[in-house]
Amino acid sequence: MLLAGSYAAWAVLWQPNVAASPEGPAYLYIRTGSSFQAVLDTLRRQELLRDPRTFAWLARWQGYDAYVRPGRYLLAPELGNQALLAMLTEGRQDTVVFELNAFKYKPQLARQLTRHLEVDSGSIRGLLNQNDYLQRRYKLDTTTVLTLFLPGTYRLLWNTPAPGLLDSAAALHGRFWTRRRRQQADSLRLSPTEVHVLASIVQRETAKKEDKPVIAGVYLNRLRRGMRLQADPTLLWAIGNFGVKRVLNKDKLVDSPYNTYKHKGLPPGPITSANRQSLDAVLQPAAHQYLFFCARPDGSGFSDFAETFAEHKRNARRYQHYLDSLRIMR
């Protein structure tokens, strides 16, 4: 009788109780503010445990019902009730690893983050629009704050709140901006934020790695000479249509600080989230005398470069004929 009782106690405490899943590792998601009953309901509804009753009894007996901690927990098949409770009580979450892709607007950023994390998009957008908070904490404003988020791999706790998200992005941003990169930016007489803005234009101009430093050099040459950038991607941002394949003269009349045909210097903020390749292209531009470039009329994605306006007009005319041949009028 004593032996049977001892085995029963051991089974409640240590016998593996997580249900094996043929689909791979199982996760328990506990939302912020969840009650103990909500945790039990999730475990039962998703059939995560072999015997939810023994877990519920032990959890109440050990007082876990008063200390529910939110998070994303990996349920390994070998876990018994005692080990599972220890993990949940101590809040030993599994880190969420995901790729942040390039984005153009705040809602796009918020949607990407909420696909992987508990935080709601309204909280993210709200914080991104708090100018005083952004200036005080990151020395950025509601326009330039998007430079804080570098596309790439992020590792975060599932229940990271919006302020923690921005702090994590700022930490990754800080690791990118090494002393060497800051010195490179200083040599160009650009701040890190300005490098991000220019890199966002370079990124929208080309996907070709070979052309990025050359295009960056063109824009830097124009900035040094006090010329307008006349960057078509900034016009597309201003008119709100990146799908346009042919910029028209009427587009150049749009009233916007992003219209670099009208306004000298860089636009007030990025037109997309620049990746590391585009940023390094700006920080290490090709040395040349080019002041103009135009897409090559062969659909290759590369560009033709020119030092004089006359040469550029010839290149532009060839490209316009190419668009005509494809019947692309807009």
Side-chain angles (χ1 to χ4, degrees):
M1 197 71 177
L2 181 61
L3 186 61
S6 297
Y7 175 78
W10 174 88
V12 169
L13 289 170
W14 304 110
Q15 182 171 282
N17 196 24
V18 172
S21 172
E23 299 174 356
Y27 290 93
L28 170 63
Y29 291 85
I30 302 177
R31 300 194 70 84
T32 300
S34 291
S35 64
F36 174 59
Q37 187 59 50
V39 175
L40 290 181
D41 290 343
T42 299
L43 289 167
R44 290 187 177 116
R45 185 175 61 255
Q46 297 183 10
E47 299 180 344
L48 296 173
L49 297 182
R50 298 174 183 174
D51 187 354
R53 293 172 302 173
T54 57
F55 172 82
W57 177 85
L58 187 62
R60 289 191 179 96
W61 185 70
Q62 293 190 356
Y64 169 70
D65 54 332
Y67 298 97
V68 175
R69 300 182 70 170
R72 173 186 185 259
Y73 297 92
L74 174 63
L75 302 189
E78 67 272 12
L79 286 178
N81 289 328
Q82 185 62 51
L84 176 57
L85 276 171
M87 179 177 69
L88 297 179
T89 303
E90 296 167 15
R92 287 187 268 118
Q93 296 187 53
D94 184 61
T95 302
V96 179
V97 181
F98 64 93
E99 290 296 314
L100 183 68
N101 299 317
F103 58 88
K104 304 180 190 70
Y105 309 107
K106 293 174 185 176
Q108 291 176 330
L109 168 62
R111 283 196 297 271
Q112 280 200 63
L113 293 171
T114 55
R115 280 200 293 268
H116 302 283
L117 304 168
E118 178 191 27
V119 65
D120 65 277
S121 60
S123 298
I124 298 171
R125 293 199 306 271
L127 201 59
L128 294 175
N129 288 318
Q130 289 186 27
N131 203 56
D132 290 345
Y133 177 84
L134 297 175
Q135 289 184 336
R136 182 174 65 254
R137 192 159 185 84
Y138 309 111
K139 294 182 173 57
L140 297 170
D141 58 31
T142 55
T143 300
T144 57
V145 66
L146 295 184
T147 65
L148 203 61
F149 288 84
L150 288 169
T153 303
Y154 283 71
R155 293 174 173 82
L156 296 166
L157 295 181
W158 176 72
N159 62 323
T160 301
L165 275 177
L166 266 67
D167 284 348
S168 296
L172 191 64
H173 184 273
R175 289 195 293 274
F176 173 82
W177 280 101
T178 60
R179 181 178 179 183
R180 178 171 174 269
R181 285 192 172 107
R182 288 185 179 276
Q183 289 173 339
Q184 289 172 333
D186 288 343
S187 70
L188 298 171
R189 297 184 180 180
L190 296 176
S191 69
T193 299
E194 289 171 329
V195 170
H196 276 272
V197 173
L198 183 52
S200 74
I201 299 174
V202 172
Q203 186 160 311
R204 288 298 307 173
E205 289 283 12
T206 184
K208 300 300 182 182
K209 180 181 179 180
E210 301 90 333
D211 274 8
K212 285 180 184 287
V214 188
I215 290 175
V218 170
Y219 284 131
L220 288 166
N221 287 344
R222 294 180 76 89
L223 286 172
R224 292 188 192 102
R225 296 193 182 198
M227 298 171 66
R228 293 181 178 86
L229 293 184
Q230 297 183 328
D232 287 353
T234 66
L235 284 185
L236 302 185
W237 168 275
I239 66 176
N241 189 351
F242 278 105
V244 168
K245 294 185 178 180
R246 188 169 194 162
V247 171
L248 304 179
N249 286 331
K250 68 177 182 180
D251 298 326
K252 300 173 184 178
L253 303 176
V254 64
D255 184 18
S256 169
Y258 286 86
N259 184 349
T260 55
Y261 279 84
K262 276 190 173 185
H263 303 286
K264 286 186 177 182
L266 293 166
I271 59 172
T272 191
S273 53
N275 59 30
R276 288 163 173 77
Q277 189 180 90
S278 297
L279 289 163
D280 282 334
V282 172
L283 292 170
Q284 303 171 61
H288 54 66
Q289 299 301 313
Y290 297 136
L291 292 172
F292 308 93
F293 67 94
C294 178
R296 196 172 291 172
D298 58 6
S300 66
F302 287 98
S303 297
D304 287 322
F305 298 89
E307 294 185 10
T308 67
F309 185 60
E311 185 183 358
H312 172 63
K313 284 193 71 175
R314 289 193 294 272
N315 292 338
R317 198 174 300 118
R318 285 197 295 269
Y319 184 65
Q320 288 160 7
H321 291 330
Y322 169 71
L323 292 179
D324 289 342
S325 71
L326 298 177
R327 300 187 182 279
I328 297 174
M329 301 302 161
R330 187 64 171 97

